[in-house]
Amino acid sequence: MMNVLVTGARGFVGKNLCAALKNIAEGKDRSFPLSPDLRVLEYDLQTDPTLLDGYCKDADFVFHLAGVNRPKEQEAFMEGNFGFTSTLLDLLKKHRNTCPVMLSSSIQAELDNPYGQSKKAGEDLLFRYAEQTGAKVLIYRFPNLFGKWCRPNYNSAVATFCHNIAHDLPIQVNDPSHQMTLVYIDDVVRELIHALCGQETRDGKFCRAEPEHHATLGEIAEQIRAFKQYPQTLGVPDLTKDSLVKKLYSTYLSYLPESCFAYKLKMNKDERGSFTEILRTAASGQFSVNISKPGITKGNHWHNTKNEKFVVVHGRGLIQLRKIGTDENNQPYPVVNYEVCGEEITVVEMIPGYTHNIVNLSDTEELVTFMWANETFDPEKPDTFFEVVE
């Protein structure tokens, strides 16, 4: 059994880290080279302080995340960021416990302000502790961290922007050109668990979490405002792996009020059924749902470049395709038929240069088809030409 002590367990980083460690302990996450035989010892302001002595005796690794960011009095910076660190290390010394200790510091430790000075004092204390005891220490000078569960209107511009914009509250951007260095919370947690496995990322005598993202305050605010419009535009952001926009969008969604979790879509209805767009993307096309009433045929058109994928998810239908034009004998090309149903999910490609349709074969049931197109519909250039399949 490995005992992992997490101070500041109810804070932003602590809450995310503890959740990840518990997933490992419960066997839900096997993506790390770590045995599930671990116990998380959570310590925070609400914890009985008498428990800390036993935790320091039993700990096999310490994540020291507790700290003070915005105290009422400046003196509390040193008390919270240096004083408690001193208490923690004294208890480890008392029990001759030389387990590894990770310290959450800040890039502001390089600055001459009360917060930076207190963080620097904590760093120096930990380095001296390592010299005295031989214990392994890992000090992370974190830049601006962001992600779910970060407290808005406190010390994170991203959290404040996401919360306020999601709740239709104003935001204040004092200097839009201010450059921000950001690290996403999932990347921080992944790095910390790797550190627990002895695989930390070193940067000289300090450690770091990667990747770092860079953007101006104005760019971040503008991007988050765009997220607010997605239920109306049906847009989604750039979902490229490790893109800043992808991570900002996940963060923004975590601040949505419950009343905004769901939104209605416009169903284009007629006597044949309905057609409803779900998503429009800049790089990955358009996603839609088509509902055909019993006996109805839809389509009978072809495209030059646009291609689509049809997936019937309910009902029984017939998808037909025929190549445009005639063969060498001046005869129409044969019709290709695919009978499909919701009980056996099948993808049928709509090939450029082939006119196609979809027929509901049922006399009683609606036919429900999920559709993807490689481009969003442009009424100025529809690339859609009527021609009956047969």
Side-chain angles (χ1 to χ4, degrees), residues 147-188:
K148 66 183 185 301
W149 304 336
C150 186
R151 180 177 169 185
N153 300 300
Y154 185 57
N155 69 333
S156 167
V158 172
T160 301
F161 290 172
C162 287
H163 174 272
N164 286 17
I165 290 172
H167 289 80
D168 296 316
L169 299 173
I171 64 171
Q172 183 174 343
V173 183
N174 293 324
D175 182 5
S177 64
H178 177 68
Q179 284 286 338
M180 301 274 285
T181 300
L182 306 105
V183 177
Y184 184 51
I185 188 60
D186 286 8
D187 297 323
V188 172

Side-chain angles (χ1 to χ4, degrees), residues 320-386:
Q320 300 181 297
L321 299 94
R322 176 178 57 80
K323 190 174 182 179
I324 293 300
T326 57
D327 62 17
E328 61 274 10
N329 297 317
N330 204 32
Q331 296 296 312
Y333 288 102
V335 174
V336 183
N337 296 294
Y338 294 96
E339 194 164 329
V340 290
C341 66
E343 284 71 42
E344 189 176 359
I345 301 295
T346 303
V347 176
V348 182
E349 299 276 7
M350 300 301 108
I351 310 299
Y354 279 70
T355 186
H356 51 268
N357 65 23
I358 182 166
V359 183
N360 187 347
L361 297 176
S362 172
D363 295 327
T364 58
E365 277 193 316
E366 290 184 333
L367 181 69
V368 182
T369 308
F370 178 77
M371 296 179 171
W372 171 84
N374 69 325
E375 59 185 41
T376 58
F377 180 73
D378 181 356
E380 299 298 321
K381 297 179 181 179
D383 189 14
T384 300
F385 307 97
F386 177 78

